[in-house]
Amino acid sequence: GQQLNQSPQSMFIQEGEDVSMNCTSSSIFNTWLWYKQDPGEGPVLLIALYKAGELTSNGRLTAQFGITRKDSFLNISASIPSDVGIYFCAGQPLYNTDKLIFGTGTRLQVFP
Amino acid sequence: DAGVTQSPTHLIKTRGQQVTLRCSPKSGHDTVSWYQQALGQGPQFIFQYYEEEERQRGNFPDRFSGHQFPNYSSELNVNALLLGDSALYLCASSLRGLGGNQPQHFGDGTRLSIL
């Protein structure tokens, strides 16, 4: 099935460091969403972006909707151990907003 | 305010059997979408239900079918189970608003294992 290109695949960082991950698509998206998934649980919505160029923050998290509408990035500042998990980007295609297309995921490990 | 709830949490079936998974949407939501998440991958869209009708379908065979009830809850049915159907099945709910869909919120999924 179709998946968005998400990078990096995994990150191993020290507590307190900043993290950046991004997601790209070959087609235009109407909405970009970022989710976090912990083991044994479903994805939890972190940030939703609705307009090209939009920059939105949620605590230590900041995400942007790319100007071309084909990409998005997520930054996490001053990482803490509970940031550990898998982060997924997801997009709603421009002419098919009923479904979400997910990225391949970024696995984040934070060491004290 | 209850979030999206799914049942059962785990299920073991054998090849050729049929299975029914259940989902109750978040309070105030009217749209339910189903996703299949294989190990190590992102969720894949199966279909979406709104007003008790299938509105959109992903690249899944007819063995996958669904239903939405008047109270907005939903079922996912899979017939003639294959080993490759082993996955985490996620339900997501949202509210169809003017100008487009609101974000989808996910349940914790049903882990289906096929032996």
Side-chain angles (χ1 to χ4, degrees):
Chain A
Q2 182 182 4
Q3 285 193 314
L4 303 173
N5 297 315
Q6 190 171 344
S7 64
Q9 221 173 8
S10 60
M11 301 184 73
F12 299 85
I13 64 169
Q14 201 155 21
E15 185 176 357
E17 290 185 357
D18 296 343
V19 171
S20 184
M21 59 191 78
N22 65 67
C23 206
T24 61
S25 169
S26 57
S27 52
I28 292 173
F29 280 81
N30 193 50
T31 304
W32 282 96
L33 304 163
W34 286 91
Y35 290 87
K36 178 176 182 272
Q37 187 173 27
D38 292 328
E41 298 182 10
V44 174
L45 180 66
L46 300 174
I47 292 180
L49 302 159
Y50 299 102
K51 290 170 57 176
E54 179 181 354
L55 185 71
T56 297
S57 293
N58 178 10
R60 294 179 296 105
L61 278 61
T62 301
Q64 185 160 29
F65 192 140
I67 292 291
T68 64
R69 306 179 76 174
K70 294 182 178 182
D71 62 338
S72 177
F73 73 75
L74 174 70
N75 287 340
I76 305 173
S77 62
S79 58
I80 58 178
S82 63
D83 291 334
V84 167
I86 302 177
Y87 292 79
F88 287 101
C89 62
Q92 286 181 313
L94 184 61
Y95 298 110
N96 188 351
T97 57
D98 287 341
K99 67 178 182 181
L100 290 179
I101 298 174
F102 278 80
T104 47
T106 294
R107 183 180 296 272
L108 178 64
Q109 286 280 10
V110 179
F111 296 99
Chain B
D1 180 18
V4 180
T5 57
Q6 292 186 242
S7 63
T9 54
H10 295 84
L11 205 50
I12 299 175
K13 292 285 188 178
T14 57
R15 282 178 296 174
Q17 285 189 311
Q18 177 263 343
V19 68
T20 297
L21 311 181
R22 296 176 176 80
C23 172
S24 292
K26 184 177 178 176
S27 177
H29 286 184
D30 57 9
T31 302
V32 172
S33 304
W34 286 92
Y35 293 80
Q36 180 194 67
Q37 186 177 24
L39 205 59
Q41 296 186 21
Q44 295 284 326
F45 176 77
I46 302 175
F47 42 52
Q48 183 180 88
Y49 276 84
Y50 171 67
E51 292 186 329
E52 303 180 47
E53 290 186 10
E54 183 181 296
R55 297 290 171 167
Q56 185 68 228
R57 188 178 185 93
N59 189 25
F60 281 82
D62 291 344
R63 297 186 298 110
F64 290 77
S65 63
H67 190 77
Q68 186 180 32
F69 299 94
N71 66 353
Y72 308 119
S73 67
S74 177
E75 289 182 349
L76 165 65
N77 301 294
V78 186
N79 294 324
L81 288 166
L82 304 173
L83 292 177
D85 294 333
S86 294
L88 179 68
Y89 288 85
L90 294 164
C91 170
S93 72
S94 56
L95 177 65
R96 272 182 180 262
L98 295 176
N101 288 338
Q102 296 300 304
Q104 295 183 18
H105 295 260
F106 286 80
D108 285 338
T110 294
R111 172 71 63 187
L112 176 62
S113 299
I114 310 301
L115 303 180

